[in-house]
Amino acid sequence: MLSALSRIVLSRRVLSRGVVSRAVLAAVAGAGAAALCLSAAPGATAAPAAAKGVVVIVPGQQLYADAAANEQTFRPLADGIRAAGYRVVFAHAGGRDVAADAQLVKKVVDAEAAGADRVGIVAHSAGGLGTRHYLKFLGGSEWVDEYVAIGTAQYGSAGGCSQPRDGGYDTCMYADAIKKLNAGPDAPGPTRYSVVQSDGEWSDGRLDGIPQCRAYSPVPLANTGFDHVIEMRDPTIIRNVVTSLRGGCAGRVVTEPVDSIDWKSTLFPGIVGAAGDALRDAIPAVVPER
């Protein structure tokens, strides 16, 4: 009996296609634990299983062609998460095709979730879009406890509009992929959502329709774009990411009404007043929809 139940639990990646819920698997795992106790020698006490948590890091558009070199960029973040007691794996999404990235994230989570008590995803930049597609449309919210986005332009960015249709345009605020992601509630529960990033990012990373932890902190070179490529190495950002992974919030939790956010309001939050308004108003003329 135990062998059969073990095979069921270990096949979690197969059952995770929206058919079997987290609650059902918990019940099956509980039945397996009960069988283990019944099969133990009289008077024996089973040792409690150690808590296991896995965190999948999803980088943005690849800085390097080689995965190992790209992981080196994220090493401080990965090391900080490991030091907090999590196992870390990478999903090397390309950051140019949201739907394809979502499938890759799903594949990695399916492979890793079976042996984990908790699953978190920390996504940087465009990696956060494919990850959110996975959570919203591929059943990922049934398996992922924490989603932490660092520097993700959730409503798209002007920079994405200059990329080819088949090579990064999905990150443009006019792209169908972005419009689909943000129609209705931006993200489903029971996953918990956080944005943890530089307070000078060019996009504020807000989501609507769900409670979202928002933790912004000073990072060198704010409002220049360079903070975007170093924030995954910043000690405060790393500490705040771990706080979110543990279910806390280093900032404040905000719930905005469904469909209350538009792309223009998310851009250049660090440039305040008339200068910021003028910059945002000028975008449609400089970067017209095509």
Side-chain angles (χ1 to χ4, degrees):
M1 176 181 177
L2 177 59
S3 177
L5 287 168
S6 297
R7 287 196 297 271
I8 293 173
V9 174
L10 291 173
S11 66
R12 180 175 180 179
R13 61 179 297 187
V14 177
L15 299 177
S16 68
R17 297 172 181 170
V19 178
V20 179
S21 70
R22 187 190 292 263
V24 171
L25 285 176
V28 171
L36 179 60
C37 292
L38 288 172
S39 64
T45 302
K52 297 179 181 178
V54 62
V55 173
V56 180
I57 294 179
V58 187
Q61 292 187 358
Q62 299 296 309
L63 297 175
Y64 308 100
D66 177 68
N70 194 56
E71 288 182 18
Q72 186 65 25
T73 300
F74 287 81
R75 182 175 178 178
L77 174 63
D79 285 349
I81 295 171
R82 290 188 186 103
Y86 297 92
R87 185 165 57 85
V88 175
V89 297
F90 280 79
H92 287 286
R96 292 176 171 80
D97 183 321
V98 167
D101 287 353
Q103 291 289 346
L104 176 60
V105 173
K106 182 182 187 305
K107 180 179 179 180
V108 173
V109 172
D110 284 353
E112 300 293 336
D117 294 332
R118 293 188 64 80
V119 178
I121 297 181
V122 179
H124 181 254
S125 193
L129 298 175
T131 299
R132 189 153 64 91
H133 184 105
Y134 158 66
L135 295 171
K136 187 169 182 177
F137 301 116
L138 301 181
S141 62
E142 286 296 318
W143 306 103
V144 176
D145 298 284
E146 304 287 341
Y147 164 90
V148 185
I150 307 173
T152 297
Q154 301 286 9
Y155 277 70
S157 69
C161 302
S162 64
Q163 300 189 60
R165 286 277 181 179
D166 60 351
Y169 186 80
D170 271 5
T171 63
C172 172
M173 60 274 195
Y174 305 132
D176 290 341
I178 293 291
K179 293 177 180 177
K180 181 179 180 181
L181 269 177
N182 296 317
D186 288 345
T191 302
R192 185 173 174 274
Y193 297 84
S194 297
V195 51
V196 177
Q197 64 182 39
S198 165
D199 60 6
E201 270 281 1
W202 286 354
S203 174
D204 61 21
R206 288 181 296 140
L207 297 171
D208 67 34
I210 45 93
Q212 181 189 29
C213 169
R214 298 174 182 173
Y216 306 108
S217 58
V219 171
L221 305 174
N223 295 308
T224 67
F226 289 103
D227 53 339
H228 181 76
V229 299
I230 63 173
E231 58 193 339
M232 75 290 285
R233 305 175 71 87
D234 182 84
T236 301
I237 297 293
I238 294 169
R239 184 168 59 249
N240 292 349
V241 165
V242 171
T243 296
S244 281
L245 288 171
R246 288 174 167 168
C249 181
R252 62 195 185 103
V253 177
V254 180
T255 304
E256 296 195 46
V258 175
D259 291 334
S260 63
I261 298 175
D262 61 75
W263 65 262
K264 188 184 291 186
S265 71
T266 68
L267 299 181
F268 305 109
I271 304 177
V272 299
D277 292 339
L279 181 58
R280 286 182 285 271
D281 289 341
I283 291 175
V286 177
V287 187
E289 187 167 3
R290 57 184 173 89

